[in-house]
Amino acid sequence: MNTVVLKFGGTSVGNVDRIKKVCKIISFYKKNKKRVLVVSSAMSGATNDLVKISKLISHNFDKAEYDTLVSTGEQTSCALIAGRLNHLGIKSRSWMSWQIPVETEGAHSAARISRINVRELNNFLKQGGVPVVTGFQGINNKNRITTIGRSGSDATAIMLAKFIKADECIIYTDVDGVYTTDPRQYKNAKKIKKIFYDEMLEMASLGSKVMQPTSVQDAKLNNINIQVKSSFRTNTGTLITGLKKSFSDKIITGISSTKNDAKITIVGVKDRPGIAASIFKPLSKNLINVDMVVQNISQNGKETDLTFTIKSEDFKKTEKLIKKNKKITYKKISFDKNVSKVSIIGVGMITSPGITYRMFRALASKKINILVISTSEIKISVLVSRENVKKAIAVLHKEFNLD
Ligand code: ADP
Ligand code: ASP
Ligand code: MG
């Protein structure tokens, strides 16, 4: 008998009617003689509300208690789903991660699932029951509740699919698949039928919220095919899968953009070996992720300018760390919070020269100024002023024939 993992996101379980709808989807799989394991996120907004309350209590909320708090939304949604399934005559029960347990490693709020003891879940599945498991949470080796990063229920579903050796893993969300760019931002976005892990990983990491980046990494490492579908509509979704021999016929598969980047420029820093390391050491110690970096060629051989980007939420901390860094001297420091990264992604880029030129030419045709550039084998990212993001997406979407 086929086993399927179904994951439902926050909007899909956002109110009573939606929970009823989700239970209809689950009953459909049961009627088709599948073993069904459900993973659910918290009802939409619930986790954000908990985060807000924690900030009212303390800006320095104890990390372990924070995870204990923000993971509670999933308990509610899972109990409601299991309750409804029982109402419909489908044997079901909820499982909190600690009851299974879902073991995690790493820091609070950014833990990774390392092992899941699936014995009880398997027994329940064999008896025809539908386990409903909380996404997003786990426990660590001190038996404390952890969380695995915002939007982490995607990763819970994929790791459960791995450990119960599921035949299918379906991510139900509020759009009917992965699109060439966020369909809520650009109306000509098109649904992608099939996308490779590496492309999805880049898109997710570069701002396409539809899948959590870690979950795509987990799927790639464990070779788990994922389907992304809508819990509101019945049409076919997107398959996320491994790269097969036949390359995609498209050069660019998708376009992503971010909303939470900030740019810092340090003007007139001493141009000597080790200076960049001195700037970035305290940032790395404070777990601040530096993303794009450019260092201008020194005009006089003595001083140079260094520009880099970080996440907006790390902005204040970074400013403080640079200003109190005694190891560096500079003339001026400037900050810009109104920037966004726009990226084009596609494995087809590997075999097609001239993509960078086409991207820059298209942006120039709309007078969009490029602030910083970074590239990898399958993506090109540019930092632009946030007011230009929509325009940039539209012109690039057309340039690479995605419309
Ligand atoms: P869930 O709560 O189900 O996990 P998310 O809000 O995390 O849902 O992800 C779905 C959202 O992702 C969509 O509503 C859409 O606006 C956004 N999104 C961003 N980029 C894309 C894309 N390329 N394709 C589809 N959706 C995208
Ligand atoms: N409820 C958690 C969040 O909002 C996890 C998830 O939705 O996947 O981040
Ligand atoms: Mg999500």
Side-chain angles (χ1 to χ4, degrees):
M1 196 187 253
N2 269 358
T3 306
V4 42
V5 171
L6 309 178
K7 180 258 168 176
F8 295 97
T11 320
S12 304
V13 295
N15 59 39
V16 169
D17 283 341
R18 288 188 176 164
I19 288 175
K20 288 181 178 170
K21 177 80 200 296
V22 154
C23 291
K24 269 200 188 141
I25 297 176
I26 299 167
S27 74
F28 168 81
Y29 284 91
K30 282 299 288 171
K31 277 188 197 128
N32 281 295
K33 304 262 176 284
K34 305 250 191 208
R35 282 189 179 150
V36 187
L37 187 145
V38 171
V39 175
S40 183
S41 299
M43 296 166 83
S44 55
T47 314
N48 283 347
D49 289 346
L50 293 162
V51 171
K52 272 188 212 142
I53 299 174
S54 80
K55 288 193 175 133
L56 295 175
I57 293 288
S58 166
H59 272 293
N60 206 7
F61 209 94
D62 179 86
K63 290 185 168 58
E65 294 309 335
Y66 179 86
D67 279 359
T68 308
L69 173 74
V70 300
S71 58
T72 55
E74 273 69 14
Q75 178 160 346
T76 310
S77 54
C78 287
L80 291 171
I81 295 169
R84 181 68 189 176
L85 289 174
N86 279 302
H87 170 89
L88 296 175
I90 299 171
K91 177 178 157 125
S92 177
R93 68 154 276 200
S94 63
W95 259 277
M96 306 302 105
S97 295
W98 60 267
Q99 294 172 309
I100 297 176
V102 174
E103 293 173 20
T104 64
E105 284 169 0
H108 276 287
S109 298
R112 287 286 293 257
I113 296 175
S114 51
R115 211 178 74 92
I116 304 177
N117 180 355
V118 289
R119 214 188 51 204
E120 262 192 60
L121 298 175
N122 265 333
N123 286 341
F124 198 66
L125 283 165
K126 274 185 205 144
Q127 292 160 22
V130 176
V132 185
V133 178
T134 50
F136 184 47
Q137 45 167 276
I139 57 164
N140 62 16
N141 58 7
K142 296 192 181 96
N143 214 12
R144 296 300 307 258
I145 289 176
T146 55
T147 59
I148 59 171
R150 293 303 305 267
S151 302
S153 305
D154 294 339
T156 307
I158 284 151
M159 292 307 271
L160 270 164
K162 171 192 167 169
F163 281 101
I164 63 158
K165 300 190 173 70
D167 301 283
E168 276 182 281
C169 180
I170 307 177
I171 305 288
Y172 275 99
T173 182
D174 56 6
V175 278
D176 60 353
V178 179
Y179 277 67
T180 48
T181 193
D182 187 347
R184 297 192 201 285
Q185 244 191 27
Y186 184 62
K187 66 173 185 358
N188 289 337
K190 292 280 175 303
K191 190 162 62 181
I192 303 169
K193 268 194 193 154
K194 186 163 98 178
I195 182 166
F196 301 123
Y197 294 127
D198 287 334
E199 295 174 317
M200 189 67 245
L201 187 55
E202 289 280 12
M203 281 185 75
S205 314
L206 294 164
S208 296
K209 186 172 174 258
V210 62
M211 286 297 299
Q212 190 220 26
T214 317
S215 72
V216 184
Q217 226 172 18
D218 288 337
K220 184 187 170 185
L221 285 173
N222 298 294
N223 217 354
I224 291 164
N225 288 339
I226 308 165
Q227 283 187 63
V228 181
K229 281 188 173 182
S230 164
S231 59
F232 303 98
R233 284 192 272 164
T234 51
N235 45 0
T236 52
T238 298
L239 175 69
I240 308 174
T241 185
L243 185 57
K244 299 280 161 8
K245 276 199 194 89
S246 61
F247 257 39
S248 130
D249 53 348
K250 278 214 167 104
I251 298 169
I252 300 303
T253 303
I255 303 172
S256 300
S257 67
T258 58
K259 292 191 186 79
N260 59 342
D261 279 299
K263 175 171 79 81
I264 297 178
T265 301
I266 311 179
V267 179
V269 272
K270 288 263 170 309
D271 192 12
R272 57 169 168 77
I275 198 70
S278 309
I279 294 171
F280 293 133
K281 190 177 170 190
L283 305 189
S284 125
K285 266 192 160 169
N286 283 274
L287 304 177
I288 293 170
N289 214 358
V290 174
D291 182 15
M292 305 168 105
V293 184
V294 271
Q295 185 178 336
N296 288 348
I297 294 173
S298 173
Q299 294 292 339
N300 55 9
K302 288 181 192 149
E303 285 158 352
T304 182
D305 304 338
L306 190 82
T307 297
F308 60 93
T309 64
I310 47 161
K311 292 280 157 259
S312 316
E313 59 261 29
D314 292 330
F315 190 72
K316 280 216 170 98
K317 214 171 173 187
T318 306
E319 185 179 10
K320 242 196 221 160
L321 287 168
I322 292 174
K323 286 188 171 160
K324 73 170 197 200
N325 189 342
K326 297 260 169 5
K327 294 231 162 87
I328 53 168
T329 55
Y330 52 84
K331 283 189 181 140
K332 202 176 85 182
I333 181 164
S334 67
F335 302 93
D336 189 351
K337 276 173 125 175
N338 289 312
V339 290
S340 280
K341 194 164 56 168
V342 176
S343 310
I344 57 172
I345 297 118
V347 292
M349 225 183 258
I350 300 171
T351 47
S352 311
I355 306 305
T356 317
Y357 164 66
R358 276 175 68 185
M359 181 184 199
F360 295 173
R361 186 187 56 189
L363 294 171
S365 76
K366 294 286 167 201
K367 303 204 165 27
I368 298 168
N369 196 23
I370 300 172
L371 306 170
V372 187
I373 302 157
S374 76
T375 61
S376 79
E377 210 180 18
I378 65 161
K379 71 116 206 260
I380 306 167
S381 300
V382 293
L383 194 73
V384 298
S385 172
R386 197 159 298 157
E387 64 191 17
N388 285 329
V389 170
K390 276 205 160 158
K391 235 181 352 178
I393 289 174
V395 72
L396 294 171
H397 211 267
K398 284 197 193 88
E399 172 65 33
F400 293 104
N401 307 322
L402 298 173
D403 265 22

